[in-house]
Amino acid sequence: MLKGKILGVAIACTLLTMTACSAPWSAQKEGQVLKGSSKGGQKVTVIPQESSQDYRTIHADQSSDLRGYIQYGVDNRVDIDEMEEGLMRLSKDAFKPDEYYFQQGNYIKPNVIDDMLSRKGDKAHPGGLNPPLGKGKDLGEQASAHPKVLSYVLEQDYLVKAGDNSYKLGGVSLAVSVNSVYTESLYNKKDGKTYTADVTLDKSKAMAEGKTYAQKVLERVRKIKGLENVPIFIALYIEAPPGSYVPGHFYAKTLVGKGQSAIGKWQSVNEDYAMFPTAEADDKYKTDSAKFAKFKEDVEKYFPNSIGIIGKGFYKDGELSELTVTINIRFYDKTEVISFANYVSSLLQSRFPFSQHLPVQIYINSVDQPEAIIVKQPDMDKPFVHIYKLYQ
């Protein structure tokens, strides 16, 4: 048990499977950090990509007004991460990483976001796109009668070179997210009470409405100075229920050409997440669920009485593309951590029921802190292991 305040965290690389502390799954290519300016004169720093599949990042000296603002529309942390990372992943089809530079959204301001997410008829935000309150004896019932569907609009900017060390906007990506579950606490000034709305939406209906909202969002965005003529890539996202271990997923995408204000055809995005072990995973991905149960059984042989193992699988086009495993256990000394990490690493090499080409990350946690991480990528002969060391 740690005593006192943790002042810092250092990673100690155990020489279980590697001879150096560099992470082999993300070997960074040598690149120069460049200074430049964006169109408009703002000073920026260009961070080189780690691989040709990644974007070079434009880091502005002045942070975006929307930095962290997504948390006001999206409650679940796993949804926030997936929306941000997934939008960048999907944007690569429209804005190639070898031609475009990534930057946080800088054009859609917080007040515009607030207007779009508000209800129609809201006096403070008259441009609300969500439905007005329905009928009911109190605010909770009125909000539940007409639940909010549109939950957030996330912007990402993609820049191109405009000259030596200068950059201009080349395109914008938007993630338009909808709720699968609508929950909200509403304060009534008249009686001083707070009312709660909690509604599970019809998923298919919410996803269909997302396309309607996306058209309305596009029309608003085209009115923003600087976004009148650039290509706009739009991806639709449905959130997971609050508190879910796995995020929701993107389900449709489209590219709107320069100056266009009408969405044409949508293209389906076949992505999904599954949590193991669950009945839902058993139904949707029976074979993979059985494989995870076998791996879980092998891990539990080390500590049969005090272990918890959860898996998160990412599916693309119906195939398992990545697996993340969290192992929670009570450890008593660091040597036990090293021994257990060795054991799990050996399972990945010799008794792993999934394909050896499947990217895998395994996080080992004790009651108080993270203990180790094990990573296995398709191009690695052996798993790479980090043991965390916390200093008092």
Side-chain angles (χ1 to χ4, degrees), residues 281-313:
D282 290 343
D283 292 338
K284 294 177 68 174
Y285 307 106
K286 185 176 181 180
T287 300
D288 290 337
S289 187
K291 289 179 180 179
F292 185 83
K294 178 63 173 64
F295 177 69
K296 181 174 180 291
E297 179 183 346
D298 287 339
V299 173
E300 286 175 336
K301 290 178 181 178
Y302 196 95
F303 287 113
N305 297 322
S306 58
I307 195 166
I309 305 174
I310 299 173
K312 180 175 69 175

Side-chain angles (χ1 to χ4, degrees), residues 25-281:
W25 64 88
S26 61
Q28 182 172 346
K29 291 185 176 182
E30 291 186 5
Q32 183 180 6
V33 178
L34 302 175
K35 297 289 185 180
S37 63
S38 62
K39 188 176 181 180
Q42 186 178 10
K43 294 181 179 180
V44 299
T45 302
V46 182
I47 312 299
Q49 74 268 53
E50 291 192 348
S51 76
S52 60
Q53 297 179 350
D54 296 327
Y55 283 106
R56 291 157 292 185
T57 301
I58 299 286
H59 177 71
D61 289 353
Q62 182 177 352
S63 62
S64 168
D65 291 340
L66 285 172
R67 184 182 181 189
Y69 206 73
I70 189 173
Q71 63 185 318
Y72 295 106
V74 183
D75 295 329
N76 198 336
R77 182 70 222 186
V78 295
D79 274 322
I80 293 175
D81 291 345
E82 177 58 18
M83 280 182 64
E84 293 177 339
E85 295 174 15
L87 182 60
M88 182 185 292
R89 179 179 67 245
L90 294 174
S91 296
K92 292 177 181 179
D93 290 336
F95 310 119
K96 303 298 183 184
D98 59 346
E99 299 175 12
Y100 291 84
Y101 299 74
F102 168 83
Q103 182 175 260
Q104 284 185 323
N106 280 278
Y107 288 85
I108 306 177
K109 301 303 180 183
N111 65 306
V112 177
I113 295 290
D114 291 341
D115 275 346
M116 289 192 289
L117 301 186
S118 297
R119 292 182 178 276
K120 185 178 180 180
D122 187 329
K123 294 181 180 180
H125 302 283
L129 296 179
N130 273 304
L133 292 171
K135 295 181 179 180
K137 65 181 181 181
D138 57 50
L139 277 179
E141 289 188 5
Q142 293 167 18
S144 298
H146 287 170
K148 287 184 178 179
V149 180
L150 180 65
S151 60
Y152 198 70
V153 178
L154 173 67
E155 174 198 353
Q156 292 179 352
D157 297 339
Y158 292 89
L159 282 66
V160 293
K161 294 203 73 172
D164 292 339
N165 295 335
S166 64
Y167 307 87
K168 66 179 181 179
L169 185 66
V172 170
S173 287
L174 302 175
V176 177
S177 65
V178 295
N179 288 312
S180 63
V181 176
Y182 163 64
T183 59
E184 187 176 11
S185 295
L186 304 101
Y187 177 73
N188 191 333
K189 293 182 179 179
K190 293 181 178 180
D191 60 15
K193 295 181 180 180
T194 299
Y195 298 89
T196 301
D198 190 350
V199 181
T200 298
L201 281 69
D202 182 297
K203 190 173 180 180
S204 296
K205 184 179 179 181
M207 291 169 67
E209 289 183 16
K211 296 181 179 180
T212 302
Y213 282 112
Q215 175 59 48
K216 295 178 180 179
V217 168
L218 174 62
E219 293 168 5
R220 296 284 179 90
V221 169
R222 280 298 188 205
K223 296 177 181 178
I224 297 174
K225 185 178 180 180
L227 303 184
E228 302 94 338
N229 296 305
V230 297
I232 298 180
F233 174 78
I234 305 175
L236 301 181
Y237 183 88
I238 184 161
E239 292 184 36
S244 174
Y245 175 74
V246 297
H249 59 88
F250 286 96
Y251 62 91
K253 63 181 180 180
T254 189
L255 179 62
V256 182
K258 293 181 179 180
Q260 295 181 3
S261 297
I263 295 174
K265 293 183 178 180
W266 288 97
Q267 182 179 352
S268 295
V269 176
N270 189 7
E271 295 183 350
D272 191 20
Y273 280 89
M275 177 179 174
F276 303 107
T278 60
E280 183 179 3

Side-chain angles (χ1 to χ4, degrees), residues 333-365:
D333 55 55
K334 189 60 68 174
T335 58
E336 195 171 40
V337 173
I338 296 172
S339 177
F340 181 66
N342 261 321
Y343 173 72
V344 175
S345 177
S346 69
L347 290 180
L348 286 182
Q349 291 181 259
S350 61
R351 295 173 61 86
F352 193 53
F354 294 92
S355 169
Q356 287 296 319
H357 298 290
L358 179 69
V360 182
Q361 298 88 38
I362 299 178
Y363 298 91
I364 301 174
N365 303 320

